[in-house]
Amino acid sequence: MSGPAKADLNKAGVESSDFPVLCETCLGPNPYVRMSKQEYGAECKICTRPFTVFKWNPGQGARFKKTEICNTCSRIRNTCQCCILDLEYGLPTQVRDVALGRMSEAPTSDINKQYYAQNLERQIADGSTSSSTLALDSLRSSSAGKEMLKSMARTDPSYKRNRPHICSFFLKGDCTRGKECPFRHEIPPTDTTMAKQNIQDRYYGRNDPVANKILRDHAVEKGLVPPEDKSITTLLLLSLPTAILEPDLRTSLFKALPYIAQTDIKSVVLVEASHCAFINFHTRDKAERAASGLSATGGLDVQGSVGGKKAKIVWGRARAKKTAA
Ligand SMILES: [Zn+2]
Ligand SMILES: [Zn+2]
Ligand SMILES: [Zn+2]
């Protein structure tokens, strides 16, 4: 294949790799799977740089799969290059980041993304940054979060994910290919929010519907059932240390929930006598995110708490409605 010399391509910020970074599910059960490789075959869906695309058949009855993001981008976030799930836990990066209390610094413009990826690529090559410290700052992350990730990890391969997509003609009732059709003839589940996944959101770990569901389910399992009354946007922190001050409480809160901004909180009402505080959010959505985040880390780490005890979290209740006389 003729083309620009490799050195020139590297200067232009092109990514080349010999092996894809894949999770077990995407790879399929056969360890000797044949990969076809196309150098600079497509633009990475994250950094937009051309990258080496790998394509393979992960097993009988599966659809062909290919890498969607470049090797560097996958290493930066420790994800599979194909399904973009976390490599260690098999979970969406949003679940991982919430449980470990970290937020990804996402460059927004395409030029920034390319620059960011190139920069980190150089650091990895130099050995000044290892890909694992890039992906997870494990020293700083909470052990409760890690425990939760371990308990939720989907480490067994789930080859169902490699099945062909559902046939769109079948859904319209006019697929004429019958048994020969390479797509699935099945009625999809009614929950369509799960199908609306966007690769950027999945990668950066924001607004990922699958992650939101996993975190919500986990919060419910921990007894944090969001109240049916959607007007409730208050969380209650219990067993706070004595003599805690509001600024310290706020600091602890924003440290634990990097995806919650000052402006998301309407008010913090500290009730010293009862060692508790009401956190009033502007929106229910943010309150739910905070609740699932805090349940994921096993409560809130509060400055000055005795023996590192965490503050418990519960949902606030609606004010008793005035009953008609
Ligand atoms: Zn990339
Ligand atoms: Zn994968
Ligand atoms: Zn069909």
Side-chain angles (χ1 to χ4, degrees):
M1 206 178 86
S2 69
K6 205 169 170 189
D8 295 336
L9 282 169
N10 274 339
K11 252 185 249 154
V14 188
E15 182 269 4
S16 161
S17 59
D18 292 328
F19 300 101
V21 177
L22 296 174
C23 71
E24 265 186 82
T25 296
C26 288
L27 193 59
N30 176 7
Y32 305 109
V33 65
R34 276 174 63 173
M35 295 269 166
S36 80
K37 174 178 162 181
Q38 199 191 355
E39 277 194 64
Y40 320 121
E43 273 185 7
C44 166
K45 292 203 170 119
I46 301 301
C47 71
T48 72
R49 301 179 309 163
F51 76 109
T52 308
V53 177
F54 292 90
K55 210 175 163 187
W56 68 100
N57 182 343
Q60 244 192 347
R63 66 174 190 272
F64 266 85
K65 302 200 105 177
K66 62 178 171 55
T67 49
E68 306 285 352
I69 67 172
C70 76
N71 192 286
T72 305
C73 285
S74 97
R75 288 198 289 172
I76 291 171
R77 297 279 288 149
N78 200 35
T79 72
C80 170
Q81 273 184 271
C82 176
C83 67
I84 330 295
L85 293 173
D86 175 76
L87 278 174
E88 189 175 352
Y89 301 105
L91 294 166
T93 60
Q94 186 179 333
V95 174
R96 176 194 73 195
D97 293 354
V98 165
L100 300 179
R102 57 197 306 284
M103 189 166 63
S104 71
E105 26 169 295
T108 43
S109 80
D110 281 349
I111 290 295
N112 273 344
K113 282 178 197 163
Q114 294 183 3
Y115 180 72
Y116 182 74
Q118 250 171 282
N119 234 354
L120 284 171
E121 196 164 71
R122 203 166 306 131
Q123 287 177 29
I124 294 172
D126 288 355
S128 55
T129 309
S130 85
S131 51
S132 60
T133 53
L134 273 176
L136 296 176
D137 189 344
S138 43
L139 284 172
R140 271 191 311 171
S141 47
S142 80
S143 59
K146 274 194 214 156
E147 281 312 306
M148 171 198 140
L149 285 175
K150 267 187 223 151
S151 75
M152 300 196 336
R154 296 168 171 176
T155 43
D156 290 337
S158 138
Y159 299 126
K160 254 173 92 177
R161 280 206 332 246
N162 298 340
R163 288 179 304 173
H165 293 299
I166 290 176
C167 174
S168 58
F169 291 97
F170 170 77
L171 289 182
K172 285 185 275 174
D174 59 3
C175 177
T176 54
R177 296 200 269 187
K179 279 208 160 64
E180 304 284 287
C181 181
F183 298 100
R184 262 153 69 210
H185 284 188
E186 251 173 56
I187 306 293
T190 43
D191 187 0
T192 50
T193 54
M194 301 298 268
K196 284 185 204 139
Q197 278 174 37
N198 157 322
I199 202 161
Q200 298 261 343
D201 286 349
R202 162 148 291 189
Y203 179 80
Y204 290 115
R206 59 190 182 205
N207 310 319
D208 180 339
V210 176
N212 286 338
K213 184 176 185 309
I214 292 173
L215 289 168
R216 217 180 305 126
D217 289 352
H218 180 264
V220 168
E221 216 174 276
K222 293 284 164 200
L224 268 172
V225 187
E228 251 168 60
D229 180 349
K230 294 275 181 199
S231 69
I232 299 174
T233 55
T234 299
L235 297 176
L236 192 54
L237 286 169
L238 305 174
S239 35
L240 291 172
T242 4
I244 184 163
L245 299 171
E246 196 194 306
D248 293 337
L249 184 59
R250 280 181 181 263
T251 308
S252 313
L253 208 57
F254 293 119
K255 204 174 141 205
L257 307 168
Y259 38 87
I260 299 290
Q262 299 267 6
T263 48
D264 293 327
I265 292 181
K266 195 157 66 175
S267 61
V268 173
V269 181
L270 198 60
V271 187
E272 264 178 82
S274 333
H275 302 283
C276 73
F278 293 86
I279 319 290
N280 301 305
F281 291 83
H282 283 293
T283 63
R284 170 64 174 243
D285 182 56
K286 292 289 179 183
E288 285 195 23
R289 284 196 71 176
S292 50
L294 290 174
S295 87
T297 49
L300 177 69
D301 267 317
V302 190
Q303 290 182 1
S305 66
V306 185
K309 225 180 94 194
K310 293 186 175 213
K312 238 189 99 183
I313 178 137
V314 293
W315 276 95
R317 270 189 237 129
R319 283 196 199 110
K321 287 197 184 87
K322 280 178 193 150
T323 42

